[in-house]
Amino acid sequence: MANNTVDHPPGNSVAEGNHEGDFGVTVMELRGLMELRSGEAVAKIGDTYGDVQGICRRLKTSPIEGLSGNPVDLEKRRTAFGKNFIPPKKAKTFLQLVWEALQDVTLIILEIAAIISLGLSFYHPPGGDSESKCGVPVACGVEDEGESQAGWIEGAAILFSVIIVVLVTAFNDWSKEKQFRGLQSRIEQEQKFTVIRKGQVIQIPVAEIVVGDIAQIKYGDLLPADGILIQGNDLKIDESSLTGESDQVRKSLEKDPMLLSGTHVMEGSGRMVVSAVGLNSQTGIIFTLLGAGENDEEKKVKKSKKQGPPENRNKAKTQDGIALEIQPLKSEEAAESEEKEEKEEAKTVKKVNVTKKEKSVLQGKLTRLAVQIGKAGLIMSAVTVIILILYFVIDTFGVQRRPWLTECTPIYIQYFVKFFIIGVTVLVVAVPEGLPLAVTISLAYSVKKMMKDNNLVRHLDACETMGNATAICSDKTGTLTMNRMTVVQAYIGDTHYKTVPDPSVIKPETLEIMVNSIAINSAYTTKILPPEKEGGLPRHVGNKTECSLLGLVLELKRDYQPIRDEIPEEKLYKVYTFNSSRKSMSTVLKNSDGGFRMYSKGASEIVLRKCSRILDAQGQPRIFKPKDRDEMVRKVIEPMACDGLRTICVAYRDFPAEAGEPEWDSENDILSDLTCIAVVGIEDPVRPEVPEAIAKCQRAGITVRMVTGDNINTARAIATKCGILLPGEDFLCLEGKEFNQQIRNDKGEVEQERLDKVWPKLRVLARSSPTDKHTLVKGIIDSTVGETRQVVAVTGDGTNDGPALKKADVGFAMGIAGTDVAKEASDIILTDDNFTSIVKAVMWGRNVYDSISKFLQFQLTVNVVAVIVAFTGACITQDSPLKAVQMLWVNLIMDTLASLALATEPPTESLLLRKPYGRNKPLISRTMMKNILGHAVYQLVIIFTLLFAGENFFDIDSGRNAPLHSPPTEHYTIVFNVFVMMQLFNEINARKIHGERNVFEGVYRNPIFCSVVLGTFALQIVIVQFGGKPFSCTALTIDQWLWCVFIGVGELLWGQLISAIPTHHLKFLKEAGHGITKEEIPEEELTEGADEIDHAEMELRRGQILWFRGLNRIQTQIKVVNAFRSSLYEGLENPESRSSIHNFMAHPEFVPLSEEEARIPPIEETGDEIEALPSASSGEGEGGE
């Protein structure tokens, strides 16, 4: 173990004259070390540093005490080794967002029209009398000199409106981005990690970890930095986020001590010394490669592929994109595979661009609707322009037989531009620009408000999906219950105590051994601390079940801390940590005489099976036969379970010194022949507010199912208390084993038909493994039995819930009890771990959906009316009664404001009284269609009456057939004003979409709505009275105003009339805005599990390929034996294992072991396997991508 001083000058020698000289090792050395794996790493540590302690010495840290925490020292470490912070990708600047908003097609058309109009308005044909020659009426010259000069105003006004729209859109995007970043940073700040400083175990934010810190790692952690293991118990790590290997990797000092950032601890616990942070960690290195932005990245990939060093060429691609070092291929072969890969890459990139990322259900429906409306608008506008031009040409050159004179050309062109602008106006009105805005506003508003209701939304669309939820699969512990475990019954020394016994009634020997067993055989991070507030409950830190046992020790008037101080963690000889398959935990101590004592605890039905003795009333072990066990189960364990208690058995075993050291790895032999000390019943009380919340869900048509690891009796008891099981109804409660027997065929594969028989009645799934939860969720989502497809929400807190959370339509993770893995896989984080917050989320989700329908109802009425008016008006009077600028005002400003007003309606409890909409419910129901068409009829009748007979009614001059550049007329101003008034009052009608009568209900609860309506009204007055030429308005008298408002109020009365017509008589009304049905998905996408590979995945694939190429270039050293076990390949074949690049730390591959074995040919892990790989892996690589 000697330090080879000959080759390497000692740490502080002058050889390293730089600011890292304070430490005996440089960043680059550590970085190089972290790139090695398993055996190589151990050898390198041995050669260079002696052992891990040697590295600690060079980093000036103590493996037991940790760093001193002295700020100067920490700062020095940050300068030498960097901060643990990966700078986020630069946010788009405001100007970039403006540029993006400008890409909108309608806006571009408008800009072009406006610019042409502007250009022509400045052109004056020479010669005064040319107008008469051209036979085109033009406002008579002299007195209107000023007016005819004002031709540019229209163009300018259009441009101005465009600018406003662009700024509004950009600002919205910008604030959304900002909110999102705020959210991310909030999530990041909340992420803490346990380190040891000055011998104290403390939690610090991840960003404050420095190189040299001693970090404690345990089950469920996501490692925040690279490190080297100092001491570990049973440590297994899921490195799939870095390597794509779904197998868990065992870590130990002897074989593989390297721990990498971004990987997940799936089992065990331990301590590591941090060796690389931030950009120098493995995650950081990859981020630096990705950081150049996606587009440059593609170019870079192409370039570096051509110029890459020769060793890169000789790598076969595994499907996973992990580099394999192989004997150099023959050069032609290399060139060939190179070309193939180029092509393949081009192919994938192309394919990806075709299918852009599919949005959520709602956004999918909206996009389709908008496209349909847009097409209709385009046709209308084209027809309008053609009719106008034909009419003009035939009238001028056909009917009046004028020759085309050269000096007249500019005037004709001016007319054509005017027609073109009218056409564009029709198009602008037809396309609902407000839609995307309404969605964004509504979602952003909801997300903000949901924060107050303890829902931290990580993905915007989750909140709208939640409104359609039809099923919730909830965990029991912590969600439905308080997650404060307490021991309420115990069986000690042949006696079943219904309450915690007095310590005096228990034999001292039994008590002593029980207290020792509980204190030592539990994670030392689990403690019971005094309450934070006076009179509060003691704080439970760590594992809740262990807290309940420690609580029992305290209730028995003993203390566990002195025992732990006497036997610190270093003295524990071996620890078998708790995991979901073992369902027990054991700790081995070495006795002074050379023998060993092992303490165990775990689920009673599992541990009791391994007991062969039990302590009797005298504290002496007596034989415990299977028949005694059955009797105990019947008399003690079942009664406890029927009271909803979880039963834990505490036991021990002595290994005598004479027998020598046992074979610790053969777990089954070790965990047998135990002596039972006691069985305790632990209760986790139901949260008081849960039963009501569940009743609300059931009223709202949402089925709540409980999926728990507890036994079936406990589960049933709790489910009844919560109201999940109602008396007298026909429900299933299954255990995981039974569930699997019912849904799997003889080969052990899950069959959807079998599942469909089980899930509709299933309410409680007990003793379930993570795989069962995932199978159930997937089965319900894929099922086609009911009238509508199911939308499933899942709650989870443990690492093992990851797969189910990812699979679900909406995954809720617990903010307090949840592990990092669960949070990463979730869509919404419940900051108070409470089931009632889920009900709030449902309410908000339904509200989003309704808000958007309200807005649609309003917007489409405006569109239908405006398009028809502009179209017919233009065809009959050669001039649109609503001018371009007026249309823009109506369409852009009013709609933007209306989307604000209608999208911010607060949710009401009444939302929870209807059934969920489901996936294929159209956005526009029959009732809404009735409202839209009904109001359109009213508005059109009024407007056409005013247009063709208004001058007689108001006794004013007719505005029809006005010459070019003529001043605005009162007639057309009234038409415009009436139009706007009707929209305003219709906005109030639009607040209700289910045909309710009272449209004013709860209007004061939404101040935004009131202010928008009043504000629009005030603006309209300003526009009409002072808008003048740009808005083509003249001031109106008070009488005319009153008439306009009166006609507007008529909308409200008409609305009552419409709602009186029963919808079911109007069979001819079509619904619109359906979701995508199965038939419409293009064939090639309908691979197995079609609805799963969404287009977002395609995009991820491309990311993945680039990403893995990045990995290739860094980690030339990795030899990957398990080349076949690649997640990318499986990801395409079988979408369960979703690999996501989206968020680097994201979702580890959870592949349940049983499936894993079914899919993967076993490989003996030997060195000579590598020789066999090149051909195989390159072949499979091509198949895979």
Side-chain angles (χ1 to χ4, degrees):
M1 291 290 245
N3 214 345
N4 313 356
T5 328
V6 197
D7 314 321
H8 303 272
N12 310 2
S13 75
V14 197
E16 292 170 24
N18 62 5
H19 66 132
E20 294 167 354
D22 306 334
F23 302 103
V25 58
T26 65
V27 176
M28 293 325 284
E29 281 175 22
L30 285 173
R31 216 166 128 163
L33 179 61
M34 290 318 292
E35 280 174 7
L36 303 175
R37 296 285 172 275
S38 50
E40 299 177 22
V42 178
K44 171 87 167 137
I45 293 175
D47 295 349
T48 317
Y49 308 101
D51 59 355
V52 183
Q53 311 292 340
I55 297 182
C56 292
R57 278 196 295 282
R58 292 194 181 200
L59 286 173
K60 308 212 171 129
T61 176
S62 141
I64 291 161
E65 294 282 307
L67 294 176
S68 63
N70 172 1
V72 181
D73 174 49
L74 295 181
E75 202 35 60
K76 202 188 282 176
R77 285 172 195 276
R78 284 198 190 103
T79 29
F81 300 109
K83 293 189 174 68
N84 193 23
F85 172 68
I86 294 174
K89 221 167 88 206
K90 272 225 311 283
K92 288 186 175 149
T93 58
F94 190 68
L95 287 175
Q96 280 169 309
L97 291 170
V98 167
W99 176 243
E100 276 177 20
L102 277 171
Q103 309 296 311
D104 188 25
V105 186
T106 32
L107 290 183
I108 293 174
I109 299 177
L110 274 178
E111 286 155 26
I112 295 170
I115 289 165
I116 297 177
S117 162
L118 267 179
L120 288 171
S121 67
F122 290 122
Y123 175 85
H124 284 292
D129 52 309
S130 59
E131 275 91 354
S132 52
K133 270 191 239 150
C134 304
V136 178
V138 171
C140 6
V142 200
E143 74 251 289
D144 271 342
E145 198 48 50
E147 286 291 3
S148 66
Q149 296 306 315
W152 59 274
I153 291 182
E154 186 164 34
I158 295 179
L159 278 183
F160 183 66
S161 327
V162 168
I163 290 169
I164 287 182
V165 176
V166 166
L167 288 177
V168 169
T169 318
F171 179 74
N172 257 323
D173 286 349
W174 179 76
S175 56
K176 190 170 81 184
E177 175 90 353
K178 204 173 91 192
Q179 257 180 349
F180 185 69
R181 292 202 172 246
L183 193 77
Q184 282 302 85
S185 64
R186 188 178 149 169
I187 292 175
E188 278 159 22
Q189 279 156 13
E190 282 182 354
Q191 204 183 6
K192 297 244 191 338
F193 208 73
T194 316
V195 298
I196 301 175
R197 289 197 177 164
K198 275 201 293 216
Q200 293 290 315
V201 178
I202 56 166
Q203 287 209 324
I204 60 171
V206 169
E208 291 178 21
I209 294 175
V210 294
V211 171
D213 256 326
I214 305 296
Q216 279 198 346
I217 53 179
K218 60 178 188 313
Y219 159 78
D221 282 344
L222 184 147
L223 299 183
D226 290 357
I228 301 166
L229 193 63
I230 303 177
Q231 169 259 328
N233 313 319
D234 228 6
L235 203 55
K236 280 197 190 149
I237 305 263
D238 173 357
E239 295 191 347
S240 59
S241 54
L242 272 179
T243 62
E245 292 305 316
S246 47
D247 286 2
Q248 294 173 11
V249 186
R250 281 201 98 102
K251 297 287 180 186
S252 63
L253 282 169
E254 304 73 55
K255 298 216 177 64
D256 185 0
M258 308 315 255
L259 302 169
L260 308 175
S261 58
T263 58
H264 295 92
V265 184
M266 301 307 278
E267 255 184 56
S269 60
R271 288 205 314 269
M272 67 171 190
V273 55
V274 176
S275 59
V277 292
L279 289 173
N280 295 314
S281 67
Q282 292 301 300
T283 312
I285 293 172
I286 294 172
F287 262 124
T288 341
L289 281 165
L290 289 180
E294 281 66 50
N295 302 342
D296 327 349
E297 187 65 31
E298 268 167 45
K299 285 178 213 138
K300 238 175 20 196
V301 167
K302 295 257 161 65
K303 253 195 229 124
S304 61
K305 290 206 66 158
K306 295 193 179 88
Q307 309 153 353
E311 78 259 16
N312 269 4
R313 294 288 184 84
N314 301 342
K315 282 205 194 112
K317 285 280 287 160
T318 69
Q319 327 82 289
D320 209 80
I322 296 176
L324 277 184
E325 270 192 41
I326 312 165
Q327 295 59 38
L329 303 164
K330 297 193 267 324
S331 51
E332 308 91 301
E333 220 174 298
E336 219 170 67
S337 70
E338 182 75 354
E339 269 162 37
K340 248 191 218 142
E341 243 183 286
E342 281 282 75
K343 276 192 203 120
E344 206 135 282
E345 183 183 14
K347 226 171 28 205
T348 43
V349 170
K350 251 198 219 100
K351 190 165 164 200
V352 167
N353 289 345
V354 178
T355 50
K356 261 287 174 265
K357 183 173 175 191
E358 250 308 330
K359 301 268 181 33
S360 65
V361 183
L362 176 66
Q363 280 167 319
K365 290 180 186 176
L366 280 177
T367 320
R368 290 164 61 86
L369 193 66
V371 167
Q372 288 162 352
I373 296 173
K375 281 181 189 158
L378 252 177
I379 296 168
M380 292 287 278
S381 62
V383 171
T384 314
V385 174
I386 293 167
I387 290 179
L388 283 172
I389 290 179
L390 282 177
Y391 185 98
F392 177 78
V393 170
I394 292 169
D395 187 54
T396 312
F397 305 119
V399 180
Q400 300 181 15
R401 301 225 167 80
R402 297 283 167 132
W404 181 296
L405 300 171
T406 39
E407 62 260 41
C408 291
T409 311
I411 294 181
Y412 295 147
I413 290 180
Q414 239 165 336
Y415 262 95
F416 289 150
V417 168
K418 180 181 154 190
F419 297 152
F420 181 63
I421 288 180
I422 292 172
V424 172
T425 313
V426 174
L427 177 65
V428 169
V429 177
V431 177
E433 285 89 351
L435 259 189
L437 197 67
V439 180
T440 314
I441 291 176
S442 184
L443 286 175
Y445 171 77
S446 304
V447 167
K448 226 187 175 113
K449 291 282 194 221
M450 281 169 82
M451 288 288 287
K452 292 200 180 77
D453 284 337
N454 302 313
N455 284 303
L456 180 68
V457 181
R458 293 184 65 230
H459 303 137
L460 265 184
D461 54 6
C463 90
E464 152 254 317
T465 315
M466 205 46 221
N468 293 330
T470 54
I472 297 176
C473 293
S474 170
D475 258 12
K476 175 176 74 74
T477 317
T479 319
L480 300 174
T481 58
M482 311 223 329
N483 204 2
R484 279 192 70 89
M485 295 286 200
T486 39
V487 174
V488 282
Q489 298 187 16
Y491 178 89
I492 306 172
D494 290 345
T495 322
H496 184 173
Y497 299 98
K498 290 285 191 185
T499 52
V500 176
D502 192 81
S504 56
V505 300
I506 304 171
K507 273 272 182 274
E509 303 81 72
T510 312
L511 190 59
E512 185 59 36
I513 195 164
M514 184 163 98
V515 170
N516 274 345
S517 170
I518 291 173
I520 292 165
N521 184 29
S522 53
Y524 279 25
T525 47
T526 304
K527 319 184 187 45
I528 293 185
L529 302 177
E532 282 177 342
K533 297 190 199 68
E534 279 297 307
L537 295 163
R539 276 182 303 154
H540 285 185
V541 181
N543 181 310
K544 298 294 184 284
T545 311
E546 289 178 350
C547 285
S548 70
L549 292 170
L550 293 176
L552 173 68
V553 170
L554 298 175
E555 275 192 76
L556 292 170
K557 314 272 188 295
R558 303 291 291 269
D559 191 3
Y560 59 88
Q561 201 51 53
I563 305 173
R564 288 183 172 183
D565 296 341
E566 190 184 321
I567 305 175
E569 248 177 313
E570 290 73 50
K571 285 201 189 158
L572 303 180
Y573 190 80
K574 172 139 187 69
V575 180
Y576 297 96
T577 49
F578 181 88
N579 66 26
S580 49
S581 59
R582 200 180 278 150
K583 286 203 161 54
S584 67
M585 169 178 179
S586 312
T587 305
V588 182
L589 296 177
K590 189 165 186 171
N591 299 337
S592 45
D593 64 354
F596 298 93
R597 166 168 282 189
M598 176 175 77
Y599 292 119
S600 292
K601 68 164 188 290
S604 58
E605 63 265 40
I606 289 176
V607 178
L608 275 179
R609 266 192 225 124
K610 310 196 168 152
C611 290
S612 56
R613 294 184 193 72
I614 185 165
L615 295 183
D616 61 14
Q618 305 314 311
Q620 297 307 316
R622 67 146 200 266
I623 296 294
F624 183 63
K625 296 196 192 68
K627 71 170 200 310
D628 302 334
R629 186 175 77 235
D630 296 340
E631 189 184 0
M632 180 153 168
V633 166
R634 213 176 53 251
K635 291 214 171 130
V636 180
I637 290 175
E638 279 180 0
M640 281 188 186
C642 290
D643 294 339
L645 306 185
R646 199 158 137 201
T647 51
I648 300 279
C649 176
V650 183
Y652 75 100
R653 177 180 179 185
D654 283 323
F655 298 96
E658 307 79 75
E661 179 145 352
E663 176 55 55
W664 296 117
D665 281 344
S666 61
E667 236 175 90
N668 288 341
D669 305 344
I670 300 289
L671 276 181
S672 61
D673 204 21
L674 304 175
T675 306
C676 168
I677 306 169
V679 173
V680 293
I682 297 177
E683 180 183 48
D684 186 3
V686 172
R687 287 175 179 259
E689 64 279 7
V690 162
E692 194 203 341
I694 287 183
K696 272 186 193 164
C697 281
Q698 287 160 342
R699 275 204 300 276
I702 300 170
T703 314
V704 183
R705 293 182 174 81
M706 182 162 100
V707 182
T708 174
D710 257 354
N711 69 38
I712 189 127
N713 292 330
T714 314
R716 198 182 276 124
I718 299 262
T720 314
K721 282 182 196 164
C722 293
I724 292 177
L725 296 180
L726 300 168
E729 293 198 26
D730 167 27
F731 291 135
L732 280 179
C733 295
L734 293 179
E735 287 208 353
K737 205 156 98 200
E738 217 180 323
F739 172 68
N740 277 316
Q741 281 162 359
Q742 294 196 19
I743 61 167
R744 289 177 192 272
N745 60 16
D746 315 333
K747 297 196 191 107
E749 296 155 348
V750 177
E751 283 190 1
Q752 188 68 40
E753 304 83 85
R754 289 172 178 239
L755 233 171
D756 288 345
K757 292 198 187 89
V758 176
W759 72 256
K761 285 191 174 172
L762 183 69
R763 289 293 177 276
V764 175
L765 182 57
R767 279 278 170 248
S768 70
S769 69
T771 328
D772 297 338
K773 191 171 186 176
H774 181 256
T775 311
L776 176 67
V777 172
K778 182 178 186 318
I780 297 181
I781 291 179
D782 293 347
S783 169
T784 46
V785 260
E787 308 87 78
T788 50
R789 296 261 315 280
Q790 297 278 319
V791 177
V792 184
V794 170
T795 67
D797 51 3
T799 306
N800 51 8
D801 294 326
L805 287 172
K806 283 226 38 65
K807 179 69 193 117
D809 294 293
V810 183
F812 286 91
M814 302 294 133
I816 304 166
T819 57
D820 298 343
V821 182
K823 288 182 190 170
E824 285 299 349
S826 69
D827 302 299
I828 298 181
I829 295 175
L830 296 178
T831 48
D832 63 346
D833 287 14
N834 193 337
F835 190 82
T836 43
S837 307
I838 300 179
V839 181
K840 292 264 176 54
V842 172
M843 221 157 78
W844 276 107
R846 292 187 170 190
N847 191 50
V848 166
Y849 212 93
D850 279 9
S851 299
I852 283 156
S853 296
K854 286 172 193 173
F855 175 70
L856 265 174
Q857 184 176 308
F858 170 74
Q859 165 93 54
L860 292 179
T861 314
V862 180
N863 286 8
V864 170
V865 175
V867 167
I868 295 177
V869 168
F871 176 69
T872 43
C875 297
I876 298 172
T877 65
Q878 280 80 65
D879 185 5
S880 169
L882 298 172
K883 300 290 182 290
V885 181
Q886 295 173 352
M887 287 289 201
L888 284 172
W889 153 244
V890 169
N891 205 27
L892 304 171
I893 315 305
M894 277 186 63
D895 289 356
T896 310
L897 291 171
S899 67
L900 240 178
L902 291 168
T904 53
E905 290 269 303
T908 55
E909 286 283 329
S910 61
L911 286 168
L912 293 176
L913 299 176
R914 63 171 174 77
K915 297 277 174 275
Y917 282 149
R919 279 175 203 261
N920 338 13
K921 164 98 169 53
L923 271 176
I924 300 175
S925 60
R926 281 229 171 97
T927 316
M928 288 168 62
M929 211 47 147
K930 177 184 74 175
N931 291 343
I932 291 171
L933 297 177
H935 287 292
V937 167
Y938 173 81
Q939 298 186 6
L940 287 170
V941 169
I942 296 273
I943 285 185
F944 283 135
T945 312
L946 283 177
L947 194 58
F948 297 113
E951 66 269 33
N952 314 332
F953 177 73
F954 281 110
D955 193 23
I956 44 178
D957 296 335
S958 163
R960 294 191 297 280
N961 302 329
L964 204 61
H965 298 320
S966 58
T969 59
E970 274 186 326
H971 183 190
Y972 274 17
T973 308
I974 290 178
V975 171
F976 166 58
N977 200 17
V978 166
F979 179 66
V980 172
M981 287 301 121
M982 291 196 294
Q983 301 319 334
L984 254 185
F985 286 97
N986 194 27
E987 195 168 322
I988 300 173
N989 275 331
R991 290 188 63 238
K992 296 285 178 255
I993 50 174
H994 298 299
E996 296 93 330
R997 283 299 180 85
N998 180 4
V999 287
F1000 287 101
E1001 184 195 356
V1003 75
Y1004 303 116
R1005 299 216 343 269
N1006 188 357
I1008 300 183
F1009 184 85
C1010 303
S1011 47
V1012 163
V1013 171
L1014 295 173
T1016 319
F1017 190 72
L1019 270 171
Q1020 178 65 16
I1021 295 178
V1022 172
I1023 286 173
V1024 171
Q1025 298 304 89
F1026 311 106
K1029 183 78 193 191
F1031 279 98
S1032 325
C1033 289
T1034 33
L1036 299 178
T1037 63
I1038 209 86
D1039 282 3
Q1040 291 165 333
W1041 264 104
L1042 285 173
W1043 272 111
C1044 293
V1045 175
F1046 171 70
I1047 295 173
V1049 175
E1051 266 290 310
L1052 293 174
L1053 304 172
W1054 183 252
Q1056 293 302 313
L1057 192 68
I1058 293 178
S1059 60
I1061 304 172
T1063 313
H1064 56 83
H1065 291 329
L1066 307 172
K1067 287 278 182 289
F1068 58 89
L1069 287 180
K1070 290 276 179 287
E1071 300 160 321
H1074 291 264
I1076 297 185
T1077 51
K1078 266 281 181 26
E1079 294 76 73
E1080 295 170 33
I1081 302 173
E1083 269 310 302
E1084 66 272 15
E1085 286 173 31
L1086 277 172
T1087 47
E1088 163 207 3
D1091 44 358
E1092 293 227 22
I1093 294 202
D1094 51 357
H1095 305 313
E1097 298 243 317
M1098 304 279 204
E1099 221 145 29
L1100 295 182
R1101 292 272 137 69
R1102 173 176 69 182
Q1104 221 157 11
I1105 292 162
L1106 297 179
W1107 164 277
F1108 285 131
R1109 300 235 159 115
L1111 259 176
N1112 277 355
R1113 275 177 245 133
I1114 322 166
Q1115 304 177 324
T1116 331
Q1117 304 87 336
I1118 301 182
K1119 289 194 174 72
V1120 178
V1121 180
N1122 303 354
F1124 301 100
R1125 310 190 182 187
S1126 108
S1127 64
L1128 199 105
Y1129 188 59
E1130 288 157 16
L1132 286 171
E1133 286 274 276
N1134 144 330
E1136 267 151 20
S1137 58
R1138 298 209 164 177
S1139 339
S1140 146
I1141 297 299
H1142 213 41
N1143 168 344
F1144 176 71
M1145 299 293 204
H1147 338 296
E1149 292 301 326
F1150 299 91
V1151 180
L1153 282 178
S1154 52
E1155 291 175 37
E1156 189 58 52
E1157 282 145 16
R1159 278 205 296 260
I1160 293 169
I1163 298 180
E1164 266 54 66
E1165 308 222 350
T1166 50
D1168 43 21
E1169 208 62 34
I1170 295 180
E1171 269 69 278
L1173 281 180
S1175 51
S1177 62
S1178 51
E1180 285 207 10
E1182 279 143 33
E1185 263 181 21

